[in-house]
Amino acid sequence: QNCFFCHGDLLAGDGPFARAVTPPPANFQDPGTIAMLQESFLFWRIAKGGPGLPLEGAPWDSAMPVWETFLTEEEIWSVISFLYDYTGYEPRVGGHAAPAEGAK
């Protein structure tokens, strides 16, 4: 319910607020995003968001808000599970992307 506004109904980064944020929200339907990320990175990004990252964090620049003050750790893990289940991809493990069988 909170992700929709930026990431959109299909998690393609095209929600109603997507054009208002820089950089744009991630398109989780693109196998070059979600399938390339480890669960621990997603946890960090959701919990800490993008504000206040040092300049050295530029490759990871994000307009993602900080969610750790609104969501419990369990809720953040539920969001991560939903992202992988919904897109049909599996988390990157051991440095390799592991697409799920029948991934979009």
Side-chain angles (χ1 to χ4, degrees), residues 25-66:
N27 173 358
F28 293 122
Q29 294 296 344
D30 179 348
T33 58
I34 192 78
M36 299 305 294
L37 301 174
Q38 294 182 346
E39 294 167 304
S40 58
F41 174 82
L42 284 174
F43 186 92
W44 169 75
R45 172 55 75 212
I46 293 167
K48 301 298 183 184
L53 287 177
L55 292 177
E56 295 80 15
W60 310 112
D61 195 17
S62 172
M64 179 79 154
V66 175

Side-chain angles (χ1 to χ4, degrees), residues 2-13:
N2 296 315
C3 306
F4 156 78
F5 295 101
C6 294
H7 295 284
D9 280 333
L10 302 176
L11 302 176

